[in-house]
């Protein structure tokens, strides 16, 4: 089965967790898009739901499908967010931000009672880090922030190249919040919790793509069916 079919399967399996009347966070990325499209079909059949998107892209997709939307200003607590991931381990530590939406994704996840990760099983790894860790940085003083990030990474016993994420035309990629993304190619993140704490202390770092303790359920589509990881 193709990776796209697996993403779609995982996304559709997550619909079982979505109950009528819920306030729901909508993730970002290709897997989350399958979920939003499947939800759109339910909404077209009269399903009652109110959603907060994690990016302008997801907002546009949800709008096009007539999914009722709100904001965290109007609705500060959500029942559930369903989102993809770039990597996850068995403890449900995640790397997110491959699509550049990690800040809104983390804000929405923190405002949700539950986060369900949807992915094809290629995203499941023994150790996080093969996927470069995205870090969202304020453009002002970015050079100084990068030096502090290098030290923070070293202090968490990791190392690797840090690269500014660019668009295809070579201009810096700018997030929905107006920030840069630096991708940190660390190979293996030995101590995700320590690294997350170290990066959080840097003033110019807005957020990083390590999601730790935010999700207790992952729905992974494999060639032989759906695999669930649940942390009790
Ligand atoms: C966007 C994300 C996505 O969830 C992550 O990049 C996975 O995307 P995809 O489902 O397209 O593989 O974190 O910021």
């Amino acid at each position: 089965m193709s990776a796209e079919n697996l993403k779609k399967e995982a996304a559709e399996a997550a619909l079982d967790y979505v109950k009528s009347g819920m306030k729901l966070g909508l993730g970002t990325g290709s897997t989350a898009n399958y979920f939003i499209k499947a939800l759109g079909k339910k909404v077209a059949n009269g399903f009652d739901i109110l959603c907060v998107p994690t990016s302008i892209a997801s907002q546009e997709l949800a709008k096009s499908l007539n999914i009722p939307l709100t904001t965290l200003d109007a609705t500060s607590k959500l029942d559930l967010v369903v989102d993809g991931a770039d990597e996850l381990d068995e403890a449900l530590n995640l790397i997110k931000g491959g699509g550049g939406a990690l800040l809104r994704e983390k804000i929405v996840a923190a405002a949700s009672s539950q986060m369900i990760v949807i992915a094809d099983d290629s995203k499941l790894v023994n150790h996080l880090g093969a996927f470069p860790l995205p870090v969202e940085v304020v453009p002002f003083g970015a050079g100084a922030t990068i030096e502090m990030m290098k030290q923070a990474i070293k202090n968490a016993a990791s190392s690797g190249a840090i690269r500014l994420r660019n668009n295809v035309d070579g201009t810096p990629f700018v997030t929905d919040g107006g920030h840069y993304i630096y991708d940190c190619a660390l190979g293996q993140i030995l101590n995700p919790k320590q690294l997350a704490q170290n990066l959080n202390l840097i003033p110019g770092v807005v957020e990083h793509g390590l999601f730790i303790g935010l999700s207790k359920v992952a729905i992974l589509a494999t060639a032989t069916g759906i695999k669930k990881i649940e942390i009790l």
Side-chain angles (χ1 to χ4, degrees):
M1 198 186 281
S2 74
E4 290 309 306
N5 282 338
L6 291 176
K7 289 178 193 181
K8 191 164 180 268
E9 266 199 12
E12 290 175 356
L15 282 179
D16 288 348
Y17 289 79
V18 181
K19 306 293 174 217
S20 172
M22 269 188 166
K23 297 181 175 71
L24 181 67
L26 301 176
T28 295
S30 55
T31 317
N33 283 349
Y34 284 119
F35 176 79
I36 296 169
K37 285 178 191 162
L39 184 69
K41 284 190 188 146
K42 278 176 81 85
V43 168
N45 288 325
F47 190 67
D48 174 32
I49 199 86
L50 187 59
C51 296
V52 174
T54 55
S55 61
I56 293 170
S58 293
Q59 180 179 316
E60 292 307 316
L61 177 61
K63 254 195 208 166
S64 74
L65 298 166
N66 299 316
I67 295 174
L69 298 179
T70 184
T71 64
L72 288 182
D73 302 311
T75 308
S76 59
K77 196 77 200 138
L78 306 181
D79 299 296
L80 172 68
V81 56
V82 179
D83 203 348
D86 298 298
E87 275 186 355
L88 65 153
D89 65 18
E90 290 279 352
L92 297 190
N93 299 309
L94 318 175
I95 288 184
K96 286 186 53 54
L102 66 99
L103 176 59
R104 292 190 185 188
E105 289 170 339
K106 200 176 276 189
I107 291 171
V108 170
S112 301
S113 300
Q114 194 185 8
M115 176 182 191
I116 295 179
V117 177
I118 48 174
D120 66 273
D121 64 343
S122 70
K123 305 285 185 72
L124 182 64
V125 296
N126 289 326
H127 295 283
L128 299 180
F131 190 92
L133 175 67
V135 180
E136 186 155 348
V137 168
V138 176
F140 176 84
T145 299
I146 299 320
E147 291 309 311
M148 292 179 224
M149 282 168 52
K150 283 182 191 161
Q151 193 58 48
I153 289 167
K154 194 173 166 198
N155 291 347
S158 286
S159 64
I162 300 179
R163 281 219 348 235
L164 176 66
R165 189 181 298 181
N166 285 325
N167 296 309
V168 275
D169 65 1
T171 57
F173 173 86
V174 177
T175 67
D176 288 347
H179 308 122
Y180 292 157
I181 297 273
Y182 285 86
D183 293 303
C184 307
L186 304 180
Q188 198 178 104
I189 299 174
L190 297 171
N191 194 343
K193 204 169 175 181
Q194 184 67 58
L195 180 57
Q197 282 170 358
N198 293 356
L199 290 170
N200 282 339
L201 291 174
I202 301 170
V205 168
V206 185
E207 253 314 334
H208 53 76
L210 284 166
F211 282 49
I212 294 172
L214 283 167
S215 177
K216 302 255 181 292
V217 178
I219 299 176
L220 303 178
T222 79
T224 52
I226 292 290
K227 167 182 165 143
K228 282 188 194 164
I229 303 176
E230 286 174 309
I231 308 285
L232 299 174

